[in-house]
């Protein structure tokens, strides 16, 4: 080794010529070429991962374990799945018990008035053609118990059999089906299940973090609830027997099992899913804004229903009896006048408001079948719309004009013309039309797809409501009778109004957006 100062050879630690200390040379570390790193991965993290990675017996590295919460959300174990199933089972059973108790309370409240008893009496006498004394007996025995109100809460389709066993004659039976859905009852049931879903959010978040698991929880809740409620309705179905001398008359009520189960399941799934909320597609800016607009549309319609319904009640109160009662048909105003102190009568008001809404948009209202005409105390079935008078009027004396007979009841054409004059045009029809157009204007149409989805959704919703909330009867082998709208004509009327107005609304919104962008 040479001295760094004088250059002489220095075998020791010091130079023998100048005395400078000789430092030993240090080996430079071998440079390792840099390897490509993944984004966000530093040298320290790679060293830490290499030193912390567990080794198996053969010396190979084992894959790193997932965090415990990630395992629970993505791949639930058998223990977690048991808790998952137990959570929606207990929640649905509790909801079924709550709704059963609530229907019993509604039945107790309705039994304190006379409206429900009179409604059952008229259905039995006018639809089933049961003699008045038997209809009065069965209506008195069939008090508004929890079974009837459970059926109203879950769709309102009731099946039954009326049997007659007279002395020295063969027994006779008559099967029937009554579809009397009440928007008020179904809405209460939907809100209760919605609140159940809202309260279950923390539990669902704990056991079902992913979107698919959350939907599975809602489906499991709905399935268990549908099974429990179907069993309750089957076990508690009422029957009543009327004995007059040696004659026996029996009235039994039941339910269409499969139809009721499917309807309960679908509506329950929709209510719980809305209550759980936070679905992925709503996080999209466009579809989230569309969903908010649809919610605003529905709430606006409900608000106008309450306002217009209140004004209708005020007008009935302030009007003369001749303006409320009609000699040709039973109107909602006359029913309200007779039963306004009975809380049960307000359960049918939303159905009337919905039918008035569809009628104001151009729908043709039908009273189809003589049982339906007898229920509303009309002489014959008819059709009525804003643009046409009562359909198929019979001309008198082949003159083509409507005249009254000189004595007795009015002629066929005369009573239909009088009926049209009484109920065809009312002030609230204009109010319902303006309310619907204003609610449509609240929908934000940001793209063609949103426009198409809105038009399709509104038309489908209108057709479903117009058909499902019709009052319909089927007795024996006779053709079915109903009060309400035919779905095809209702879709045409509502769809035409909706398409025209939303097209104009979409064009106006595009113009406003372009003006704002230009500014």
């Amino acid at each position: 080794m040479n001295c760094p100062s004088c250059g002489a050879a220095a075998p020791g630690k010091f130079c023998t010529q100048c005395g400078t200390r000789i430092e030993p040379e240090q080996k430079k570390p071998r440079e390792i070429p840099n390897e490509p790193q993944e984004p966000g991965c530093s040298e320290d993290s790679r060293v830490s991962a290499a030193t912390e990675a567990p080794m198996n017996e053969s010396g190979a590295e084992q894959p790193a374990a997932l965090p415990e919460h990630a395992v629970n959300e993505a791949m639930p174990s058998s223990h977690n799945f048991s808790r998952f199933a137990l959570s929606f089972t207990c929640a649905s059973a509790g909801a079924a018990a709550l709704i059963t108790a609530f229907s019993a309370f509604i039945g107790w409240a309705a039994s304190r008035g006379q409206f429900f008893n009179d409604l059952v009496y008229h259905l039995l006498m006018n639809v089933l053609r049961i003699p008045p004394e038997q209809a009065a007996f069965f209506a008195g025995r069939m008090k508004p118990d929890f079974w009837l109100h459970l059926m109203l809460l879950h769709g309102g389709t009731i099946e039954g059999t009326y049997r007659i066993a007279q002395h020295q004659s063969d027994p006779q039976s008559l099967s029937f089906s009554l579809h009397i859905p009440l928007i008020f009852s179904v809405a209460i049931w939907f809100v209760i299940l919605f609140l159940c879903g809202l309260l279950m959010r923390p539990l669902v978040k704990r056991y079902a973090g992913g979107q698919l698991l959350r939907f599975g929880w809602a489906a499991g809740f709905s399935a268990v609830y549908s099974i429990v409620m179907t069993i309750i309705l089957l076990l508690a179905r009422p029957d009543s027997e009327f004995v007059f001398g040696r004659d026996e008359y029996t009235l039994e009520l039941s339910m269409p099992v499969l139809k009721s189960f499917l309807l309960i399941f679908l509506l329950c799934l929709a209510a719980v899913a809305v209550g759980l909320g936070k679905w992925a597609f709503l996080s999209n800016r466009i579809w989230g804004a569309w969903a908010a607009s649809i919610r605003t549309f529905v709430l606006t319609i409900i608000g106008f229903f309450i306002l217009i319904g209140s004004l209708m009640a005020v007008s009935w109160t302030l009007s003369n009896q001749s303006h409320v009662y009609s000699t040709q048909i039973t109107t909602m105003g006359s029913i309200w006048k007779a039963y306004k102190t009975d809380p049960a009568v307000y359960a049918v008001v939303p159905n009337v408001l919905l039918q008035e809404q569809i009628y104001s948009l151009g729908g043709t209202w039908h009273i189809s079948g003589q049982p339906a005409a007898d229920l509303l105390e009309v002489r014959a079935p008819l059709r009525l719309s804003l643009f046409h008078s009562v359909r198929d009027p019979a001309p008198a004396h082949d003159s083509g004009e409507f005249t009254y007979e000189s004595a007795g009841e009015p002629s066929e054409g005369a009573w239909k013309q009088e009926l049209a004059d009484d109920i065809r045009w009312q002030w609230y029809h204009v109010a319902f039309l303006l309310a619907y157009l204003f609610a449509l204007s609240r929908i934000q149409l940001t793209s063609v797809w949103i426009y198409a989805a809105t038009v399709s959704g509104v038309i489908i919703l209108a057709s479903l409501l117009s058909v499902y909330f019709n009052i319909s009867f089927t007795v024996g082998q006779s053709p079915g009778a109903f009060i309400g709208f035919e779905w095809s004509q209702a879709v045409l009327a509502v769809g035409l109004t909706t398409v025209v107005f939303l097209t104009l609304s979409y064009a106006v919104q595009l113009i406003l957006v372009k003006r704002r962008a230009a500014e």
Side-chain angles (χ1 to χ4, degrees):
M1 183 179 297
N2 296 329
C3 174
S5 296
C6 63
K13 294 183 178 182
F14 296 93
C15 180
T16 56
Q17 299 294 329
C18 62
T20 303
R21 182 180 178 86
I22 303 302
E23 297 290 341
E25 295 182 1
Q26 298 180 355
K27 295 182 179 181
K28 296 182 180 180
R30 184 172 59 90
E31 294 183 359
I32 301 176
N34 293 331
E35 297 180 358
Q37 300 181 7
E38 296 180 0
C41 180
S42 63
E43 183 70 16
D44 294 337
S45 64
R46 291 195 295 116
V47 172
S48 176
T51 56
E52 294 179 2
M55 308 290 289
N56 58 17
E57 294 180 356
S58 63
E61 294 184 1
Q62 295 180 353
L66 291 174
E68 183 179 356
H69 67 85
V71 174
N72 291 337
E73 291 181 2
M75 298 174 292
S77 63
S78 59
H79 180 66
N80 288 332
F81 181 79
S82 299
R83 292 185 176 182
F84 174 80
L86 184 62
S87 64
F88 67 70
T89 301
C90 294
S92 58
L98 174 64
I99 290 177
T100 302
F102 182 74
S103 63
F105 170 76
I106 294 178
W108 171 81
S111 65
R112 299 174 64 86
Q114 192 63 28
F115 173 75
F116 189 88
N117 188 73
D118 291 348
L119 177 61
V120 173
Y121 170 78
H122 283 286
L123 285 172
L124 295 177
M125 188 178 66
N126 294 319
V127 177
L128 302 184
R129 308 297 184 184
I130 296 178
E133 64 277 4
Q134 297 179 30
F137 172 81
F138 288 128
R141 290 290 300 272
M142 294 171 56
K143 290 295 183 182
D145 59 357
F146 81 97
W147 187 89
L148 289 175
H149 285 282
L150 272 181
M151 290 302 302
L152 293 177
L153 286 173
H154 295 91
T157 301
I158 301 173
E159 293 181 345
T161 304
Y162 176 61
R163 293 189 178 91
I164 304 174
Q166 295 179 334
H167 181 60
Q168 296 181 350
S169 63
D170 295 334
Q172 300 178 359
S173 62
L174 179 67
S175 299
F176 61 89
S177 175
L178 307 177
H179 181 67
I180 312 176
L182 296 180
I183 298 176
F184 180 80
S185 300
V186 176
I188 288 179
W189 174 59
F190 191 92
V191 169
I192 292 176
L193 292 178
F194 164 78
L195 294 177
C196 289
L198 193 64
L199 294 176
M200 291 296 108
R201 278 186 181 182
L203 183 66
V204 176
K205 183 179 180 180
R206 179 178 180 182
Y207 293 108
Q211 293 283 304
L212 185 59
L213 288 179
R214 293 173 72 247
F215 182 80
W217 192 96
F221 179 99
S222 304
V224 175
Y225 176 86
S226 303
I227 294 173
V228 172
M229 194 55 61
T230 302
I231 294 174
I232 292 175
L233 291 171
L234 286 175
L235 294 178
R237 54 186 178 182
D239 59 74
S240 184
E241 184 177 356
F242 175 74
V243 179
F244 182 75
R246 295 185 178 182
D247 301 336
E248 295 181 0
Y249 306 90
T250 304
L251 181 64
E252 297 178 353
L253 300 181
S254 184
M255 58 177 286
V257 179
L258 181 59
K259 178 182 177 181
S260 298
F261 177 83
L262 292 177
L263 179 64
I264 293 172
F265 175 79
L266 293 176
L267 290 180
C268 181
L269 180 61
V272 174
V274 173
L276 292 178
K278 296 183 179 179
W279 298 101
F281 76 96
L282 294 179
S283 60
N284 182 276
R285 181 179 61 85
I286 297 178
W287 288 106
W290 175 79
S293 299
I294 292 296
R295 180 180 59 190
T296 303
F297 168 77
V298 174
L299 294 178
T300 303
I301 287 291
I302 294 175
F304 275 112
F305 271 24
I306 296 174
L307 175 61
I308 298 174
S310 302
L311 294 177
M312 291 168 67
V314 172
S315 66
W316 295 331
T317 303
L318 300 178
S319 300
N320 297 327
Q321 298 288 342
S322 59
H323 292 89
V324 176
Y325 291 91
S326 173
T327 58
Q328 307 299 333
I329 191 173
T330 300
T331 63
M332 187 60 211
S334 61
I335 295 176
W336 185 85
K337 277 279 191 179
Y339 299 98
K340 61 182 178 182
T341 58
D342 190 345
V345 74
Y346 296 95
V348 304
V349 172
N351 287 60
V352 176
L353 297 179
L354 175 64
Q355 295 208 352
E356 295 290 359
Q357 177 69 83
I358 299 175
Y359 179 81
S360 67
L361 297 176
T364 300
W365 187 62
H366 293 253
I367 300 179
S368 175
Q370 192 59 43
D374 293 339
L375 184 63
L376 294 181
E377 299 180 344
V378 185
R379 292 177 58 182
L382 55 87
R383 294 179 294 170
L384 184 68
S385 69
L386 287 175
F387 309 105
H388 301 279
S389 184
V390 177
R391 299 294 182 88
D392 303 325
H397 306 295
D398 298 327
S399 62
E401 298 179 357
F402 299 131
T403 61
Y404 287 93
E405 293 181 349
S406 58
E409 295 292 332
S411 64
E412 182 74 10
W415 75 264
K416 288 188 176 182
Q417 184 63 39
E418 182 179 350
L419 175 62
D421 294 339
D422 288 342
I423 65 174
R424 181 182 171 189
W425 278 99
Q426 299 291 337
W427 64 267
Y428 45 79
H429 296 144
V430 179
F432 277 116
L433 176 60
L434 296 178
Y436 182 78
L437 297 180
F438 177 77
L440 285 179
S441 68
R442 306 292 302 277
I443 300 177
Q444 296 181 5
L445 304 174
T446 56
S447 67
V448 177
W449 296 109
I450 299 298
Y451 165 79
T454 302
V455 172
S456 303
V458 171
I459 293 176
I460 292 174
L461 180 62
S463 61
L464 291 177
L465 292 178
S466 63
V467 173
Y468 182 75
F469 287 103
N470 285 342
I471 298 176
S472 59
F473 325 103
T474 302
V475 181
Q477 302 298 324
S478 61
F482 72 94
I483 301 173
F485 299 88
E486 291 183 348
W487 73 270
S488 57
Q489 197 280 329
V491 168
L492 180 62
V494 176
L496 183 61
T497 304
T498 303
V499 169
V500 171
F501 186 83
L502 285 183
T503 302
L504 296 176
S505 177
Y506 182 47
V508 171
Q509 291 184 33
L510 286 180
I511 294 174
L512 293 178
V513 168
K514 290 181 179 180
R515 286 184 178 180
R516 291 174 183 174
E519 294 176 357

